[in-house]
Amino acid sequence: MGNSDSKFHGLYNHNTENEDRADNETHVYRDPSHPSGIEKFKHSHLQEVMTNVFENYESSRDFIIERKKDGQGNATDETIRHSYAEVRREAEHFGRGLLDLDLVPWREEYRDFKLRFVGIYAKNSYKYFIQDFSCIMHNMVSVPIYDTLGEEATIFAFENTRMSTLCLTNVHLENMIKFKAKGDLPHLDNLILIDEENLKPESREAAEKAGLKLFLWSEILEKGKASQLSEWVPVKPEDIYCFSYTSGTTGTPKGAMLSHKNVTSTLQSLMNKLSVTHRDRHLNYLPMAHIFERILSLIFFYGGSKIHLFCGDVRKLKEDLMFFKPTIFASVPRLYNRFYDVMQTKIKEREGTMVGNMMKKAIATKLENLEKSGSVTHSIYDAVIFKKMKAVLGGQVRMMITASAPLNKKVADFFKIAMSCPMMEGYGQTEGTGGQFCTHRTDTASGYVGGVLSQNEFKLVDVPDMNYTSNDIDPKTGLVRPRGEIWVRGDGIIPGYYKNDQKNKDTFSPEGWLQSGDIGMIVPPSNRLVIIDRKKNIFKLSQGEYIAPEKLEGSYKTCTPLFSDVYIYGDSLKSCILAVITIEDMNLRKVAELVGMDDSVKDEELFANADFEKKVIGLIKKKAEECKFNRLELPKGVLIN
């Protein structure tokens, strides 16, 4: 049996039974390859990683490849190739330019941290990498700003850091100028325009009027070229590499501080799992503002691989996949689900035909083989049936990765047999540098997050009020299957949230354990870990974003006193939320009048009336805009009862 637990016994989560434990928790679990303690790595900070890469790969070797754009901004079949040497040179120049112009003052405002902040608000691009690498080389802290962060959280991030310089693209320029003019960004003094070719003359004037100095990207580079600085600014393992702000689902956002040690330990541990080499190709399209893509890109950099940049439009991702043909494809469940739906539609269109019958037989056979033996290939069907399916991801993918939220087992299994390659499932919070657990690449079972990575150790702590304990028994097998809150400790765990002692106290134990808030179960006898619940009333959507329903319910209930109650429903396998709204019979007509419904629609017909639902969503949308909720916090549908 390819998926049998016995085959993977010993691969996952070594139980340190010889060590003492409290009655309300499991023993500590570690990677089986390091049972006596967490793994320590040869690179203690990211400058050492960079030096290793630049010294071991030809300077002329292609590193970042992007597609040229035509006059209308559409991607063409021509490419722009940036070598390792070019990336190093421009990153050094950009960092020196920032320092020479004194755009990144030191901040010593929290504990013993001494930090220099450089913000970036842009889609993934070559220059995004240059900004990021400059920060590594010159001991600066990169602070990503992104659209779904929301207006209030964005303003909070600037106020929290007192950040004075932001790199941004033209599409965000107007908003930043507006915030500054309103007095919302008192510490922001400098803007560096990444896509300077799109600058409008009136924008420079508006920036200056608001009290902002606007620099062009090329101006910073030229200043750096002429700089007398020649050395990188030294860093220590404990120095902060980047910040990551949450979208503030509960209260104010949290600024997670990720250190060089956090990133290097996670990077090298994942390298061991993925076996990335210089022959691999990575398509960079997931937001660099989130830790998942940032870590992925550093892994491929460390492996000497080629990184291909998407064209900037996720709707054209299939075109980018066909053009660049990645060898390892990483994504979030939302996108896998979208591809799955398209492929299933194509399959259904052929039902009843000769080709359709063959496809049905091929899929059934491979799914059966996957279940029985773990095989994801077939000597005949792969060439005849699945070659076209595999082309959806470019045709040369040898491994898939999914993370950030659970992926439906049916979808995961289908992709394994359709792409004829393994899929690794991972789990990691930003507080754990995005990589805490991962399945083994030879494990064909779906629905698990595997074992703890070697830079960390973990345990499960009882949550008695939810009936989860370390001594739980599996009713089917009679074996102990511990359940509880996942606590993780090790070099991958961040030093905390910036200027937020209360949240640090709530999230990190005095002994250094990250209290994840997620409920896990260790499945015997393989010792795989599976996520089964959430301790708090908060859930993730399939794209990895958290939703706090209580906050939304409280706000949407105030849309009108005519709403008796509002319930927000979400599913981690779905990409949007729904609202269930209770309206008393006596108020139903009043709500209909409030939203402008035609009197001809009878009361009993309103509950199933699509136009009524649409108008109620419009009412909710106004409240969402008033509260400055992000687009994921707006329900896509309502159920009225």
Side-chain angles (χ1 to χ4, degrees):
M1 294 282 290
N3 293 344
S4 68
D5 285 341
S6 58
K7 177 180 178 181
F8 294 97
H9 183 70
L11 275 182
Y12 291 128
N13 302 324
H14 174 78
N15 188 341
T16 58
E17 292 183 356
N18 59 319
E19 298 183 9
D20 293 335
R21 69 175 177 117
D23 292 337
N24 67 333
E25 61 187 39
T26 65
H27 291 285
V28 171
Y29 288 83
R30 300 189 183 113
D31 184 299
S33 61
H34 294 82
S36 61
I38 61 175
E39 184 178 9
K40 298 296 180 182
F41 297 98
K42 59 182 179 180
H43 301 309
S44 62
H45 54 72
L46 285 167
Q47 285 187 0
E48 289 183 356
V49 171
M50 279 193 160
T51 300
N52 178 78
V53 171
F54 289 138
E55 287 180 353
N56 284 284
Y57 292 102
E58 280 186 49
S59 60
S60 60
R61 179 180 175 79
D62 288 340
F63 173 32
I64 298 172
I65 303 171
E66 55 185 323
R67 298 170 70 183
K68 281 186 179 180
K69 301 286 181 69
D70 62 21
Q72 287 72 47
N74 298 312
T76 70
D77 289 345
E78 294 185 76
T79 59
I80 303 171
R81 296 172 176 266
H82 306 279
S83 68
Y84 278 83
E86 181 185 354
V87 171
R88 175 175 185 166
R89 182 173 61 251
E90 288 203 22
E92 288 175 341
H93 289 164
F94 189 76
R96 291 168 189 168
L98 293 174
L99 296 180
D100 267 15
L101 290 166
D102 196 25
L103 300 182
V104 281
W106 289 107
R107 304 291 189 201
E108 299 180 67
E109 300 172 355
Y110 185 58
R111 295 196 283 194
D112 58 349
F113 292 106
K114 188 177 180 182
L115 309 169
R116 292 191 292 200
F117 298 107
V118 185
I120 184 161
Y121 194 2
K123 288 183 179 180
N124 302 8
S125 67
Y126 170 66
K127 291 176 182 176
Y128 206 120
F129 275 90
I130 297 302
Q131 187 267 4
D132 194 54
F133 281 28
S134 293
C135 288
I136 294 171
M137 293 171 174
H138 298 94
N139 197 0
M140 298 181 291
V141 180
S142 178
V143 182
I145 305 295
Y146 51 97
D147 289 338
T148 57
L149 191 58
E151 184 178 313
E152 287 188 3
T154 296
I155 292 170
F156 176 85
F158 279 94
E159 184 62 24
N160 190 224
T161 57
R162 296 176 67 238
M163 184 164 59
S164 60
T165 298
L166 174 70
C167 304
L168 80 171
T169 47
N170 196 68
V171 71
H172 302 114
L173 184 57
E174 185 178 336
N175 267 351
M176 290 298 108
I177 293 172
K178 181 180 71 175
F179 290 155
K180 180 68 175 181
K182 286 168 53 182
D184 290 333
L185 305 175
H187 306 292
L188 181 63
D189 299 321
N190 313 294
L191 298 177
I192 301 172
L193 193 61
I194 293 173
D195 54 340
E196 56 191 70
E197 65 277 6
N198 295 324
L199 177 63
K200 300 173 184 176
E202 58 267 27
S203 295
R204 184 184 287 276
E205 184 180 335
E208 291 174 357
K209 187 176 179 180
L212 289 165
K213 189 166 185 180
L214 184 62
F215 293 89
L216 303 181
W217 181 274
S218 58
E219 292 174 342
I220 307 298
L221 279 181
E222 288 304 315
K223 185 67 176 176
K225 287 179 185 178
S227 173
Q228 297 302 308
L229 298 173
S230 58
E231 302 295 327
W232 294 359
V233 179
V235 299
K236 303 185 297 296
E238 295 75 22
D239 286 337
I240 303 303
Y241 154 59
C242 71
F243 271 29
S244 181
Y245 277 92
T246 67
S247 55
T249 53
T250 52
T252 56
K254 303 183 294 289
M257 303 183 290
L258 286 85
S259 72
H260 280 253
K261 179 176 69 174
N262 294 154
V263 177
T264 53
S265 65
T266 303
L267 171 66
Q268 293 174 82
S269 182
L270 283 168
M271 277 288 294
N272 296 340
K273 289 278 187 181
L274 296 173
S275 298
V276 171
T277 75
H278 66 278
R279 290 183 292 273
D280 282 310
R281 298 183 298 278
H282 170 59
L283 180 59
N284 173 283
Y285 71 95
L286 293 169
M288 288 281 284
H290 298 312
I291 192 61
F292 186 22
E293 181 58 55
R294 197 173 280 252
I295 288 291
L296 280 172
S297 293
L298 285 170
I299 288 171
F300 287 96
F301 167 68
Y302 190 33
S305 313
K306 292 182 177 67
I307 293 179
H308 300 275
L309 294 172
F310 84 127
C311 69
D313 187 347
V314 178
R315 294 171 299 180
K316 297 180 179 179
L317 184 61
K318 186 179 177 181
E319 183 183 320
D320 284 327
L321 286 164
M322 294 293 291
F323 185 82
F324 288 124
K325 304 185 186 311
T327 58
I328 298 178
F329 179 71
S331 194
V332 296
R334 181 186 184 187
L335 197 63
Y336 281 115
N337 291 338
R338 189 181 300 169
F339 277 130
Y340 176 80
D341 290 341
V342 171
M343 293 167 78
Q344 291 300 311
T345 298
K346 296 289 186 184
I347 292 169
K348 287 180 181 177
E349 288 174 355
R350 291 170 172 79
E351 279 186 359
T353 66
M354 185 181 296
V355 173
N357 291 336
M358 185 178 288
M359 290 174 71
K360 185 177 179 180
K361 174 67 174 174
I363 292 169
T365 299
K366 288 197 70 175
L367 285 174
E368 184 179 358
N369 291 345
L370 177 68
E371 180 64 28
K372 287 183 176 179
S373 66
S375 172
V376 294
T377 60
H378 192 281
S379 58
I380 298 173
Y381 289 142
D382 285 354
V384 177
I385 298 296
F386 293 102
K387 185 176 181 180
K388 287 186 177 180
M389 291 190 190
K390 194 167 183 176
V392 169
L393 299 185
Q396 296 185 21
V397 169
R398 68 173 182 84
M399 184 186 297
M400 297 172 289
I401 303 168
T402 179
S404 87
L407 180 63
N408 185 288
K409 182 182 185 302
K410 179 174 68 174
V411 176
D413 287 347
F414 177 80
F415 267 94
K416 290 172 186 177
I417 61 111
M419 300 299 127
S420 305
C421 70
M423 172 182 281
M424 296 176 67
E425 300 183 53
Y427 160 80
Q429 299 167 291
T430 301
E431 292 84 349
T433 321
Q436 288 147 271
F437 298 86
C438 189
T439 58
H440 196 273
R441 60 182 175 274
T442 61
D443 189 354
T444 54
S446 301
Y448 304 92
V449 296
V452 67
L453 294 178
S454 56
Q455 82 277 23
N456 292 324
E457 58 188 5
F458 84 102
K459 61 184 178 181
L460 301 185
V461 178
D462 293 358
V463 187
D465 57 331
M466 298 178 74
N467 295 318
Y468 295 130
T469 77
S470 55
N471 299 311
D472 284 349
I473 303 295
D474 186 342
K476 292 183 178 179
T477 65
L479 298 173
V480 176
R481 49 148 205 213
R483 300 189 297 176
E485 183 183 10
I486 301 167
W487 286 28
V488 186
R489 181 172 65 181
D491 287 345
I493 305 306
I494 67 169
Y497 305 119
Y498 189 56
K499 297 180 181 178
N500 201 332
D501 290 329
Q502 185 56 53
K503 279 294 181 184
N504 286 330
K505 186 177 179 181
D506 294 342
T507 307
F508 305 94
S509 79
E511 298 77 28
W513 292 99
L514 164 62
Q515 302 164 71
S516 72
D518 288 317
I519 305 297
M521 179 172 71
I522 298 170
V523 182
S526 68
N527 277 356
R528 295 183 183 100
L529 181 71
V530 60
I531 311 299
I532 59 172
D533 206 344
R534 178 75 187 168
K535 188 176 178 182
K536 296 179 182 178
N537 187 18
I538 188 173
F539 56 82
K540 260 187 181 183
L541 296 178
S542 62
Q543 58 269 71
E545 296 288 347
Y546 283 106
I547 297 293
E550 287 181 359
K551 177 185 76 171
L552 304 183
E553 289 162 355
S555 297
Y556 291 142
K557 192 174 179 180
T558 65
C559 284
T560 169
L562 300 172
F563 286 172
S564 298
D565 205 358
V566 176
Y567 169 72
I568 294 297
Y569 172 78
D571 186 331
S572 58
L573 298 176
K574 304 295 182 182
S575 62
C576 62
I577 59 175
L578 301 175
V580 180
I581 301 174
T582 301
I583 305 173
E584 298 293 338
D585 289 345
M586 64 179 130
N587 292 327
L588 191 60
R589 177 52 56 183
K590 294 177 183 178
V591 174
E593 292 173 357
L594 177 67
V595 298
M597 278 298 294
D598 193 316
D599 290 342
S600 63
V601 181
K602 298 177 182 179
D603 286 6
E604 61 269 20
E605 296 173 349
L606 287 170
F607 290 105
N609 187 283
D611 191 37
F612 183 46
E613 291 180 6
K614 185 177 179 181
K615 290 178 182 293
V616 171
I617 289 178
L619 193 65
I620 289 175
K621 185 177 181 180
K622 288 181 181 178
K623 177 59 68 172
E625 291 171 351
E626 177 187 320
C627 296
K628 298 178 181 177
F629 292 155
N630 67 52
R631 58 182 175 79
L632 298 176
E633 295 173 311
L634 176 66
K636 295 298 183 185
V638 298
L639 175 63
I640 299 169
N641 62 12

